[in-house]
Amino acid sequence: MDILLIGGLWLDGSVWGRVASALESLGHRPVPLTLPGQGDGLASATLDDQVATVLAAVDAAPGKPMVVGHSAACTLAWLAADRRPEGLAKVCLIGGFPSADGQPYADFFEVRDGVMPFPGWDPYEGPDAADLDDEARRKFAAAAIPVPAAVAKGVGRLTDERRLDVPVVVVCPEFTPAQAQEWINAGDAPELARAKHVDFVDIDSGHWPMVTKPTELARILAEAADRP
């Protein structure tokens, strides 16, 4: 199966390198995506531009792909399900939940000079970054790509209820499946509360398992792709 890999904020497609290699060895076809404004130098990119890139990759797949979104990009993966509800095999969400209709994509941190730069590690102290040592943190921060304001502040629109039929797998890194279910039950993830097929998988990592647990993450993704 084609497995489209979408990194979250400040990341380009290269973050998936080791995951992609492991997926290939497991018999799948990984497609790491570099999104407009996150690695191509297009500071004027919009959320619609990023959605269009994901949809182009979906349409280019020879069969129904599994779309994997990490962190904020869980919303991108879900927007793909909304636009192509019958064209996806599955959606896999790593360390995040999709935003509801009409909500900003990722208006989390200060925007300066038209972009939202990586805010440093203070907001991620604790379980998020506990498995990143000083060298890994330095490399991450040095490579972080400021996200265009029109991406971060872009508003996602959901229009096709058939997205709720697309099977969803929630990979739980810095939180547990039980916590994820609690948050969904509490109304913190209304789209997943309405989705008809949601499974949870635990991975013992921080917020960026593609960096710290790439082989284990690849195994989880391959198993999700292999399940009916």
Side-chain angles (χ1 to χ4, degrees):
M1 180 183 291
D2 278 41
I3 300 178
L4 310 185
L5 302 167
I6 316 168
L9 301 175
W10 313 296
L11 303 172
D12 65 14
S14 67
V15 75
W16 297 102
R18 290 185 291 168
V19 174
S21 294
L23 281 172
E24 286 177 348
S25 71
L26 293 169
H28 291 283
R29 295 181 297 276
V31 183
L33 300 184
T34 289
L35 299 169
Q38 288 179 225
D40 65 352
L42 187 62
S44 62
T46 66
L47 179 61
D48 286 344
D49 292 333
Q50 293 200 346
V51 173
T53 293
V54 175
L55 294 180
V58 171
D59 294 342
K64 291 185 178 183
M66 181 172 79
V67 178
V68 179
H70 165 256
S71 192
C74 290
T75 294
L76 280 177
W78 196 237
L79 287 168
D82 182 74
R83 304 297 194 274
R84 301 289 190 273
E86 296 179 346
L88 305 186
K90 196 169 291 188
V91 167
C92 189
L93 310 175
I94 303 171
F97 305 117
S99 297
D101 177 58
Q103 296 299 306
Y105 174 62
D107 191 11
F108 302 141
F109 302 106
E110 180 185 2
V111 169
R112 299 196 300 268
D113 299 323
V115 295
M116 189 175 69
F118 177 62
W121 292 106
D122 286 350
Y124 296 105
E125 286 303 330
D128 283 344
D131 59 346
L132 292 169
D133 60 23
D134 289 343
E135 178 64 11
R137 293 185 185 206
R138 185 195 64 76
K139 288 182 177 179
F140 185 103
I145 301 163
V147 177
V151 172
K153 294 178 176 292
V155 173
R157 293 295 180 184
L158 299 167
T159 61
D160 195 328
E161 294 286 293
R162 291 178 298 167
R163 69 184 179 278
L164 303 173
D165 294 319
V166 178
V168 178
V169 177
V170 179
V171 179
C172 305
E174 73 273 20
F175 52 84
T176 66
Q179 287 174 311
Q181 187 66 71
E182 287 175 11
W183 296 332
I184 293 169
N185 293 344
D188 294 333
E191 283 296 301
L192 294 190
R194 299 176 63 211
K196 297 175 183 177
H197 313 280
V198 181
D199 292 318
F200 300 89
V201 182
D202 198 16
I203 183 170
D204 184 16
S205 76
H207 189 62
W208 294 273
M210 70 282 280
V211 175
T212 58
K213 295 286 184 69
T215 303
E216 185 176 348
L217 179 59
R219 178 185 56 78
I220 288 171
L221 297 179
E223 289 176 354
D226 290 339
R227 281 196 302 271

